[in-house]
Amino acid sequence: MKILHICSYYWGSQLYRRLFDALARQPVNGGIQNLVYVPVTKQTEFAVDADDVVESTCFSRWDALAFHWKHRKIYRDIQEKVTVPEAEGIHAHSLFSNGYIAYRLKQRYNIPYVVAVRNTDLNVFFRYMRHLRPLARSILDNASAVIFLSEAYRQAVITKYIPQEMRARLAAKSRVIPNGIDPYWLANIPSGESPVPAKDIRLVYAGEITKNKNIEATARACQILMQKGYAPRFSVVGPVCDQRVAERLGKYPFLSMEPALPKEKLLPFMREQDIFVMPSFTETFGLVYAEAMSQGLPVLYTRGQGFDRQFEEGTVGYHVDCRSPQDIADRILDCLANYRQISRNCTALCDKFNWDSIASQYAAIYTSLRRK
């Protein structure tokens, strides 16, 4: 089965490459043949890394300031670079940008499409670009299936931005499918049980050091725990992308900062910690939550963002109010109160993020696509 992927975010993460490779391994209809179209700006310099990727420098950074102008260029370009009618289905990996192209191609070639909703779609386009909301609704309404990374995102889109008469239609064809993690983490799940922390709680964050990751809220939660007689230690691992944030974090004596670590070093480092905390303001999914889970760490994640409602509350950790250090501190204590069971749940349930099982869900959706 031939699937045309429209994926303008391909170069931002290895997760897309892992998905496409897992899809190619699926034994449905003689296998899935992926063709990945990646539109990029003329200032972008990447080397195509696979035979199934078509990278095209078809617009400038200035074009990106005008949505319709930019995407008319991409629409013309994809028809020049790809034999579109050969595709049996299209997968648009974002709603507004990639979904618009899939929508136009369906209008012209009658090829059914699947569209994914990302963090940027919800927290930027829907929120701030009101003039594009009717277009987004048309893209969603004409899609054969709509993919959300979490139930929280599905509910947020349906209740905030979809008119009442369309909600049931969208809910019926929407699916919640998470991202997967590097197989290395799933191949190295610890066999023993993690010790129950006492007063010296070891908290960890791993990822870019930016304002959005809201790391200082966890540091303030540590101060609250210290007032309760605990002795938290907070490790922050990752590249400094905002020097001002790093400078503020340096004022907390119980907080240590480490540079980014390769997975071979990050994994054993994670095992030495007790709880993973990342109360981001916005988060599409947060692969690092699942990576921490694989090593038996309970996780704290932001209420209403990408990881929320992946599991029943309290199963692998808790959601938090990202603007409340008190709430973060309280949920850390909740993790301690049932630490051994939550830790067991984390290692038992992390196979949900296996790319092969995720790809099989996508393959089932693709095979259901039919031209009308």
Side-chain angles (χ1 to χ4, degrees), residues 157-173:
V157 169
I158 291 175
T159 58
K160 290 183 181 180
Y161 301 112
I162 303 302
Q164 187 67 44
E165 65 272 14
M166 183 182 160
R167 290 178 181 176
R169 266 195 327 273
L170 177 56
K173 64 181 177 182

Side-chain angles (χ1 to χ4, degrees), residues 1 20-34 355-364 366-367:
M1 184 176 191
F20 301 143
D21 289 344
L23 285 170
R25 294 193 293 268
Q26 293 300 304
V28 295
N29 291 356
I32 293 175
Q33 299 176 44
N34 299 302
W355 274 119
D356 285 323
S357 62
I358 290 168
S360 70
Q361 296 177 62
Y362 279 113
Y366 297 159
T367 55

Side-chain angles (χ1 to χ4, degrees), residues 2-20:
K2 297 181 179 179
I3 299 296
L4 170 60
H5 298 267
I6 307 173
C7 188
S8 55
Y9 299 94
Y10 179 80
W11 296 111
S13 172
Q14 282 292 315
L15 71 89
Y16 292 108
R17 186 67 261 161
R18 295 190 181 106
L19 171 61
F20 301 143

Side-chain angles (χ1 to χ4, degrees), residues 120-170:
T120 304
D121 295 316
L122 178 60
N123 292 304
V124 177
F125 283 100
F126 263 128
R127 182 176 295 182
Y128 300 113
M129 300 185 182
R130 293 174 177 268
H131 63 290
L132 293 178
R133 289 179 186 175
L135 174 60
R137 295 179 188 123
S138 294
I139 296 168
L140 291 169
D141 211 23
N142 283 273
S144 295
V146 180
I147 309 299
F148 294 90
L149 292 176
S150 73
E151 181 62 31
Y153 268 26
R154 174 160 67 174
Q155 290 302 316
V157 169
I158 291 175
T159 58
K160 290 183 181 180
Y161 301 112
I162 303 302
Q164 187 67 44
E165 65 272 14
M166 183 182 160
R167 290 178 181 176
R169 266 195 327 273
L170 177 56

Side-chain angles (χ1 to χ4, degrees), residues 154-350:
R154 174 160 67 174
Q155 290 302 316
V157 169
I158 291 175
T159 58
K160 290 183 181 180
Y161 301 112
I162 303 302
Q164 187 67 44
E165 65 272 14
M166 183 182 160
R167 290 178 181 176
R169 266 195 327 273
L170 177 56
K173 64 181 177 182
S174 66
R175 305 288 185 272
V176 175
I177 303 178
N179 285 330
I181 58 176
D182 189 315
Y184 179 81
W185 294 89
L186 299 177
N188 288 281
I189 296 173
S191 56
E193 290 192 344
S194 301
V196 179
K199 294 291 184 179
D200 55 338
I201 314 166
R202 297 167 298 181
L203 307 176
V204 63
Y205 161 81
E208 293 182 344
I209 297 172
T210 66
K211 181 179 179 180
N212 180 59
K213 298 302 182 179
N214 196 26
I215 305 167
E216 194 170 6
T218 304
R220 291 174 181 166
C222 289
Q223 292 177 319
I224 294 172
L225 293 172
M226 292 170 70
Q227 294 171 2
K228 295 177 179 290
Y230 291 89
R233 289 177 287 163
F234 183 24
S235 298
V236 175
V237 183
V240 175
C241 299
D242 189 322
Q243 192 59 44
R244 289 173 297 181
V245 172
E247 289 173 0
R248 289 199 300 272
L249 295 178
K251 298 177 182 178
Y252 296 94
F254 51 80
L255 186 153
S256 62
M257 297 178 66
E258 304 287 342
L261 298 174
K263 61 180 182 287
E264 294 81 6
K265 292 185 178 180
L266 181 58
L267 184 147
F269 185 85
M270 282 281 199
R271 286 187 184 179
E272 296 174 355
Q273 314 307 315
D274 298 319
I275 300 172
F276 180 85
V277 189
M278 188 169 76
S280 307
F281 292 116
T282 64
E283 195 72 54
T284 295
F285 177 70
L287 293 175
V288 70
Y289 294 120
E291 292 170 352
M293 272 181 58
S294 75
Q295 302 309 302
L297 273 66
V299 294
L300 297 189
Y301 42 88
T302 303
R303 180 186 294 117
Q305 290 300 311
F307 200 80
D308 193 14
R309 299 178 68 176
Q310 291 289 339
F311 301 93
E312 289 294 322
E313 191 68 0
T315 302
V316 300
Y318 296 91
H319 65 215
V320 298
D321 178 349
C322 64
R323 300 184 184 277
S324 172
Q326 181 65 61
D327 191 47
I328 296 171
D330 290 343
R331 300 294 79 77
I332 290 171
L333 295 179
D334 286 343
C335 287
L336 294 182
N338 193 26
Y339 189 85
R340 183 165 282 124
Q341 185 58 56
I342 294 176
S343 179
R344 287 177 190 151
N345 293 342
C346 287
T347 53
L349 298 174
C350 64

Side-chain angles (χ1 to χ4, degrees), residues 52-66:
D52 58 359
V53 175
V54 175
E55 179 194 270
S56 182
T57 54
C58 55
F59 63 95
S60 71
R61 290 176 181 172
W62 294 110
D63 292 330
L65 298 176

